[in-house]
Every structure is written in structure tokens, then in C-alpha cells.
Amino acid sequence: MDEIYTLELCGLKRDLPVIQINEDLKIASFVILGDAELVEKSGEILAKKIPEADVLITAEAKGIPLIYEIAKQKGMKKYIVARKSLKPYMKDPLVTKVVSITTQKEQILCLDKDEVTMLDGKNVVIIDDVISTGESINALEDLVNKAGGNVIGKAAILAEGDAANRDDILFLQKLPLFKK
Ligand SMILES: O=P(O)(O)OC[C@H]1O[C@H](OP(=O)(O)OP(=O)(O)O)[C@H](O)[C@@H]1O
């Protein structure tokens, strides 16, 4: 029978499939894409908890619905999504590298010049759906710093594994890792 982890979050319950990602490690797969109810509830709560920022930033892809919801709740007209591939619309892109727990191969995160300008000299909060190894938020922080921004907060719906012991991130619920 397939292994399931039941997550309780913001008064909701979700059965997450537990999947093997390498020889020694299984993770509970948390995919907010398509889950409007969970994004709305968690976004509303996180919007109240994060510090007041000039700019919010996330990484493509699963952070996108969450940052949209938080920006909407806070009445912010814009936010920034770091893309995972270079796009033709990008002029003088700023690029950094990242290896996340779920993807486990090197990806890039990049910003267009106009987004770099939006970050320069601004107070920035980094948003993601999950923080696990921290590689993705580190890469986002690197982009913000290189763009001249100042990271004043980091927030996620879930902190996975050891990330739950960090005191520099705001999160709503812990998610266990399943080690051999
Ligand atoms: O703390 P970390 O170990 O970096 O893991 C967390 C990141 O991993 C997942 O993204 P994923 O790489 O699966 O990309 P996706 O959102 O494009 O599916 C998740 O959405 C976070 O961004």
C-alpha cells in the first residue's frame, strides 16, 4: 500500500504521498499548485505574520500562487518571481544557481534587469511554499543581495526536517523527513 503522511494545516487536512527521492530519503510530497483552498488560508495567515516589506520575492514554480495570495492580502500591486530558466524578455539578467531537496539537480534562478531595479535599496521578504535544505531561499537571498536589496524576512508554509529548528524563518507547520 502507498505510504501517506497526513498534514494538518490552517484547519485543513491533506494526505500527502510519501515518495522516495534517493536511496536514504523519502519526503512527503506537498504540492500547492491547484489547491486554491490551502493557498488562500495559508496565504491569509502568512500575510499577517510577515514583516512589512517594500517587495516580496519567490522562486518559480510552487511559490507563485502563495506569493500572489500574500501580495493580494497585503494590497501590494507587484511582486517578483525568480525564473528557473533564462527567457527572451530578460535584459542583462542576474543569475544564481540552486539545488533543492525535491529537484536534486542544479537549477538556476534568474531576474530581469527591471526586477533587479525593483529590489535595489528595498526591504524584501522572501516567500516559498517549503523550506527544507534552505538552498532555494539562500539562492533567492543571494539574488536580493546582489540586486542591492535588504532581506528583512523569510517565510514559508512548511519547514521540512531540520529547517523547523531555524529561528530565521517564519513558517506555519513542520513537515518530517523520512530517513532510512
Ligand atoms: O529548501 P530546499 O531544499 O531548496 O527545498 C525547497 C524548495 O524545493 C521545492 O521546489 P522545487 O525545486 O521542487 O521546484 P518547483 O517549485 O519548480 O517544483 C519547493 O517549492 C521549494 O522552493
Side-chain angles (χ1 to χ4, degrees):
M1 205 168 111
D2 292 342
E3 207 177 330
I4 292 290
Y5 175 78
T6 301
L7 175 73
E8 297 197 21
L9 176 74
C10 312
L12 303 173
K13 269 191 190 181
R14 294 291 183 270
D15 285 335
L16 311 182
V18 176
I19 54 165
Q20 191 101 38
I21 56 161
N22 64 39
E23 215 177 279
D24 305 316
L25 188 65
K26 293 180 192 173
I27 62 169
S29 177
F30 178 67
V31 181
I32 62 171
L33 301 176
D35 195 336
E37 184 185 36
L38 190 140
V39 169
E40 195 178 317
K41 289 215 170 163
S42 54
E44 190 184 337
I45 296 170
L46 277 174
K48 290 186 185 131
K49 288 182 182 270
I50 61 172
E52 288 307 312
D54 301 312
V55 185
L56 304 178
I57 185 169
T58 193
E60 186 180 8
K62 294 193 293 292
I64 298 174
L66 180 65
I67 197 171
Y68 169 79
E69 186 61 35
I70 293 174
K72 196 175 73 171
Q73 293 280 340
K74 296 192 80 67
M76 297 171 83
K77 291 194 169 71
K78 296 230 169 209
Y79 57 85
I80 295 177
V81 178
R83 304 295 306 265
K84 287 185 172 164
S85 58
L86 288 164
K87 301 292 172 187
Y89 70 79
M90 292 179 175
K91 294 164 274 164
D92 299 330
L94 184 60
V95 183
T96 195
K97 290 177 180 163
V98 62
V99 181
S100 77
I101 189 163
T102 40
T103 305
Q104 302 227 313
K105 66 175 169 51
E106 192 170 273
Q107 306 181 94
I108 60 165
L109 286 183
C110 45
L111 297 176
D112 180 32
K113 193 170 87 178
D114 291 347
E115 293 164 328
V116 172
T117 305
M118 267 175 78
L119 290 164
D120 191 11
K122 296 296 193 316
N123 287 333
V124 180
V125 172
I126 296 173
I127 306 287
D128 212 343
D129 58 328
V130 180
I131 297 174
S132 186
T133 64
E135 287 287 326
S136 302
I137 47 162
N138 287 349
L140 283 165
E141 189 160 16
D142 183 46
L143 282 178
V144 174
N145 290 337
K146 284 182 177 150
N150 174 36
V151 175
I152 59 162
K154 305 166 198 174
I157 301 174
L158 302 180
E160 184 174 53
D162 291 343
N165 301 321
R166 291 178 58 158
D167 56 12
D168 64 327
I169 52 174
L170 263 166
F171 60 93
L172 301 181
Q173 185 58 281
K174 297 177 184 180
L175 188 65
L177 280 174
F178 304 85
K179 294 180 183 166
K180 219 179 194 177

